Amino acid sequence: MPVIRKALVLSLLGTLPAIGSSPATQLPLDPAKNSGQSVTAAYEGWVKNEDGTYSLLVGYFNRNLEETLEIPVGPNNHIEPGGPDRGQPTHFLPRRQWGVFTIKVPADFAGKKLTWTLVANNQTTQVPMGLNPLWEVEPLRDAAQGNTPPVVRFDPQGKPFQGPPRGIAASLETTVSEPIDLTVWGKDDGVVNAYSRERDGPPLHLTWSKYRGPGEVSFDKAEPEIDESDGKATTTATFSEAGSYILRLQANDVSGDGGGGAQCCWTNVHVQVTVVDR
């Protein structure tokens, strides 16, 4: 399938082609380093919504092996036109992060584009995002395998979340330095992707991380154990400063990060946490 093949090739490079503006810009095949490298937006592709609008699925590639960067929305982290804030992350984990947010664009977006500009370690990268037919993706069902992303709920009988993030899935409140419980129920369809790599453990894997916020966030278990009888997984998060935070929960099935380059099947949800002083 041409769409998937192209995504796979570019995924091997870690991201879509980017425009770098620094003489120190790292080339795609340069050896990886622990720090000092750039962060590049990664445009996964687009999906047409039932109401005729479109959603752009976006991730990023932090080329550093160890360095995590904070890049606030502004001159060094903006999406235009319509920005600078289009819901992008400000906390950048090392290496490739797949489909961490979506941008909804109108039905008449054809022929237009958005550009995400990132400046990290004095290196500027820009990636355009549009509706090129070659970049249409199917994040909710793998056409070849029939695989679908895991389902995540914040209550056993609550609303299901599956696939790319769309808005805030849950809202919580806590105080500085006071651990807050993060409990979810996850379930996977159990379809095994023939292209996936074998791995130990349950078919579903959950990972919590910071997405936005002014202070540090520490998790008791960023990758909590999952009760195989009901899919329940619990951990806690503690915040160092007051403010508004967004956490990201990623659920992967056996297809792994980025679905092995097929743009399916993983789930990302965003949780908003308001943290106040004691």
Side-chain angles (χ1 to χ4, degrees):
M1 186 176 182
V3 173
I4 293 177
R5 287 200 186 106
K6 184 171 183 179
L8 176 60
V9 169
L10 292 170
S11 294
L12 292 175
L13 299 178
T15 181
L16 297 176
I19 303 169
S21 64
S22 165
T25 298
Q26 184 184 19
L27 297 175
L29 298 182
D30 277 356
K33 300 178 181 179
N34 290 336
S35 62
Q37 303 304 301
S38 64
V39 179
T40 306
Y43 181 39
E44 320 287 10
W46 58 268
V47 179
K48 188 171 185 178
N49 302 313
E50 292 182 355
D51 62 0
T53 62
Y54 299 89
S55 290
L56 310 182
L57 180 60
V58 193
Y60 64 85
F61 182 32
N62 176 356
R63 289 185 168 80
N64 300 290
L65 293 175
E66 297 182 358
E67 185 179 14
T68 297
L69 294 108
E70 299 285 347
I71 311 177
V73 171
N76 293 337
N77 180 5
H78 60 96
I79 297 175
E80 305 291 354
D85 191 350
R86 300 300 297 262
Q88 69 267 34
T90 63
H91 182 79
F92 293 86
L93 300 172
R95 311 307 291 166
R96 184 71 158 90
Q97 305 295 321
W98 296 82
V100 299
F101 72 109
T102 55
I103 305 171
K104 190 174 182 178
V105 296
D108 63 353
F109 192 71
K112 303 175 184 177
K113 68 177 182 180
L114 300 178
T115 299
W116 188 6
T117 300
L118 283 167
V119 182
N121 290 317
N122 297 316
Q123 299 175 60
T124 301
T125 59
Q126 293 182 313
V127 168
M129 302 173 286
L131 300 181
N132 186 322
L134 293 175
W135 292 108
E136 183 176 8
V137 294
E138 298 172 328
L140 293 176
R141 184 178 179 83
D142 184 310
Q145 305 294 324
N147 191 18
T148 60
V151 174
V152 173
R153 302 174 191 265
F154 291 87
D155 180 279
Q157 306 303 320
K159 178 181 178 180
F161 297 91
Q162 185 178 34
R166 300 174 188 272
I168 299 297
S171 297
L172 305 170
E173 293 184 4
T174 188
T175 56
V176 173
S177 301
E178 191 72 27
I180 185 172
D181 288 336
L182 301 172
T183 301
V184 298
W185 284 260
K187 185 178 181 180
D188 184 58
D189 59 12
V191 174
V192 177
N193 188 321
Y195 302 115
S196 66
R197 291 163 291 187
E198 293 185 6
R199 70 179 191 194
D200 296 328
L204 181 61
H205 187 84
L206 302 176
T207 306
W208 285 96
S209 62
K210 175 185 171 183
Y211 185 79
R212 283 186 173 207
E216 296 183 1
V217 183
S218 57
F219 298 93
D220 175 42
K221 294 180 180 177
E223 300 177 11
E225 297 178 0
I226 302 171
D227 188 328
E228 295 190 32
S229 66
D230 60 1
K232 184 178 180 180
T234 300
T235 188
T236 64
T238 305
F239 301 81
S240 67
E241 298 180 21
S244 179
Y245 293 76
I246 295 178
L247 306 180
R248 176 166 67 96
L249 173 65
Q250 180 167 300
N252 289 102
D253 65 9
V254 293
S255 61
D257 290 339
Q263 307 300 329
C264 182
C265 297
W266 70 94
T267 294
N268 268 312
V269 295
H270 293 167
V271 175
Q272 187 167 44
V273 183
T274 301
V275 181
V276 299
D277 288 319
R278 292 185 176 185

